[in-house]
Amino acid sequence: MSTSMSGSSGSGSESEGGERHASWLELFFDLIVVAGVGQLAHLLHTGPSWTSLGQYAVLFLAFWFAWVMPTMYGNVAGEGTRVVTVVAAMFGMAVMAAAVPGVHDSDGKARAFALGYIVVRLIASRVWSGRRQVVADLPIIQLGAGLTPWVVSLWAHGEARLWLWAAGLLIDIAVMVRVSREALQAEVDQKWAHAEERAEHWLRREERRSVALPPEEAHARVDRVRSRLRRKPQVVAADTEHLSERLGLFVLIVLGEGLVQSASAASEEPWGGAMRAVGIGVFVVLVLVWSLALRTGAYGLPLLAPRALPVRLVLLLHCLFAGAVAALSAALGRAVEQAGDAMPQPGRLLLAGVLALSLAMTLVCALVSGWGVGWALGAVGPALVVVGVLAAAPGTWVPEGFGTVVSVALAVLALAWPVAWRAYQPGTTATKEPARGAGSAGFSG
């Protein structure tokens, strides 16, 4: 790992075998994820409602987009990554994280969250403009229409502000889905052709003006004009193996939040038999999510083959999955708190909902990776049935005091099924080579 603290710091180090891994700078930057995810997960900890779920979805998506932009910068720039740029973006995200608890009640903190997001976006845009590069795998860096509602929200209040944020994020998602590398390249070519026409016209005009000057002065003047002509922007792509590791590390940090919330809740409760059973079950759930996300697929996504989708679509799937895992952390913390009682309906439905979302994404990843419809349904279908049972109030037909124990046991069973299916029904995919990333060889399953 790179240890440089100069103006430019290696963003990815290489092992003896030539593999690139996260640098100390990138790992330091990821500490902001620890703070941010913890704050976001607590939005759901006191009891999820439709309002809190909507707020959580908007804030998590904004925080994730803010994280992925400096991450992509480090991924593409490599040894040219500048420490000051990454640290400045990290500070903007720290402001966002600190403002999360007060976003709903305080105009000041809501504006601080929006300003932090805007600053991170502007830093990313300026970096790539200065490098004369266009990032094909993250087109929202160059196409910033989604930032406009955030700027407008600085003068909005209450629910209107949150709706503006949601509108901006939906625009960004639409751009990520629709704008391909080919479309970006065509736009760059078209704009550059127009720029060249204007530059040639300007150059010919300067040459005509220089006719009356002495030859040396005329040549110097024309050369100065030529030196001001900018070079054509280059469309660049991500280092997919390095990016796979970075996205996997994000999921790993989110799982760590699950451990923190569960351990914190357990430390404040008496350790009876139900508590011990729930505690063990919660730990097993986290181990199973780790195994499913980081040992069976690439980019921290379960059952995803490395080249199954364009990177820009992988990023959207990763955001959705990471958000589900962070919400799972909150649900598990509540389960530990309610270990000796029936799990309240909001907490149980949150647990079932995030498990269903995670499993649905597992199914999508398996299908786009070429595992086959039958194999994918066999891996996920029975698990979804178990989640349905979990959502149907198991506390009504189990002995009093064991409702939460049964709920957690069902969560374990739902996640254990696809992990066991992958282990004992290997199947085949359209893309068989593993990605190198978090977990290294573990990605091969």
Side-chain angles (χ1 to χ4, degrees):
M1 292 184 180
S2 173
T3 58
S4 171
M5 288 302 295
S6 59
S8 294
S9 177
S11 179
S13 59
E14 291 189 359
S15 64
E16 294 181 0
E19 290 185 25
R20 181 182 170 197
H21 296 291
S23 69
W24 289 119
L25 175 61
E26 289 176 311
L27 294 176
F28 176 65
F29 171 71
D30 282 350
L31 291 178
I32 197 58
V33 178
V34 179
V37 170
Q39 296 279 53
L40 290 162
H42 274 84
L43 293 175
L44 303 175
H45 191 70
T46 56
S49 63
W50 287 113
T51 300
S52 62
L53 284 172
Q55 182 177 333
Y56 168 80
V58 170
L59 299 187
F60 185 92
L61 187 57
F63 188 83
W64 186 91
F65 270 135
W67 172 83
V68 83
M69 290 186 180
T71 298
M72 187 65 75
Y73 167 55
N75 175 271
V76 176
E79 295 294 328
T81 303
R82 297 192 63 82
V83 173
V84 66
T85 300
V86 176
V87 172
M90 185 179 181
F91 179 78
M93 292 183 66
V95 171
M96 293 173 67
V100 165
V103 160
H104 186 69
D105 303 317
S106 168
D107 280 348
K109 289 187 177 180
R111 288 194 183 95
F113 185 91
L115 278 172
Y117 181 75
I118 292 168
V119 166
V120 173
R121 291 286 300 261
L122 292 178
I123 289 172
S125 177
R126 183 170 179 81
V127 161
W128 294 109
S129 176
R131 291 175 62 89
R132 303 296 294 164
Q133 291 179 325
V134 176
V135 186
D137 297 319
L138 195 60
I140 59 172
I141 293 177
Q142 289 79 215
L143 306 176
L147 194 58
T148 302
W150 285 83
V151 175
V152 174
S153 76
L154 296 175
W155 292 272
H157 301 277
E159 296 297 328
R161 181 188 293 115
L162 197 64
W163 282 108
L164 284 168
W165 294 353
L169 294 169
L170 287 174
I171 292 172
D172 286 334
I173 291 172
V175 170
M176 293 284 286
V177 171
R178 294 180 60 86
V179 180
S180 65
R181 179 188 178 96
E182 292 74 19
L184 274 177
Q185 184 67 65
E187 182 178 358
V188 168
D189 292 342
Q190 183 180 21
K191 288 183 176 180
W192 182 251
H194 292 161
E196 281 188 319
E197 290 178 5
R198 293 193 300 269
E200 286 297 329
H201 176 73
W202 184 33
L203 189 57
R204 286 194 298 269
R205 185 183 64 183
E206 291 299 316
E207 288 175 342
R208 286 195 298 269
R209 291 178 176 178
S210 302
V211 170
L213 298 175
E216 291 184 0
E217 186 177 345
H219 286 304
R221 181 170 181 173
V222 172
D223 287 342
R224 283 196 300 272
V225 172
R226 290 184 184 276
S227 68
R228 290 197 293 268
L229 298 178
R230 305 177 76 181
R231 71 181 189 275
K232 181 178 180 179
Q234 178 188 9
V235 178
V236 296
D239 179 338
T240 54
E241 293 182 352
H242 177 258
L243 184 62
S244 182
E245 178 183 272
R246 300 291 289 118
L247 296 179
L249 286 171
F250 189 100
V251 174
L252 202 62
I253 292 170
V254 174
L255 286 172
E257 176 60 24
L259 288 171
V260 169
Q261 292 218 21
S262 303
S264 177
S267 68
E268 298 177 1
E269 302 291 335
W271 286 17
M275 167 61 74
R276 289 193 291 270
V278 169
I280 292 171
V282 164
F283 182 77
V284 173
V285 165
L286 293 171
V287 171
L288 290 170
V289 174
W290 163 78
S291 181
L292 192 61
L294 298 176
R295 299 186 69 232
T296 70
Y299 300 102
L301 290 169
L303 300 180
L304 183 69
R307 296 169 181 83
L309 288 171
V311 171
R312 71 183 196 282
L313 300 183
V314 169
L315 292 175
L316 291 179
L317 287 177
H318 180 272
C319 178
L320 190 59
F321 182 76
V325 175
L328 177 65
S329 298
L332 294 177
R334 285 176 56 82
V336 173
E337 290 178 355
Q338 303 291 334
D341 302 307
M343 197 171 188
Q345 184 182 29
R348 192 185 68 253
L349 292 180
L350 175 64
L351 179 59
V354 294
L355 286 174
L357 178 58
S358 301
L359 291 168
M361 293 196 60
T362 301
L363 178 62
V364 170
C365 291
L367 291 173
V368 299
S369 298
W371 287 98
V373 175
W375 190 95
L377 289 176
V380 178
L384 287 173
V385 172
V386 174
V387 171
V389 174
L390 170 60
T396 60
W397 44 263
V398 298
E400 183 177 356
F402 287 89
T404 300
V405 175
V406 172
S407 296
V408 172
L410 289 172
V412 170
L413 180 60
L415 290 169
W417 179 265
V419 172
W421 183 273
R422 175 65 179 88
Y424 295 104
Q425 299 285 337
T428 57
T429 64
T431 307
K432 297 210 57 170
E433 61 268 38
R436 298 183 187 119
S440 190
F443 272 124
S444 62

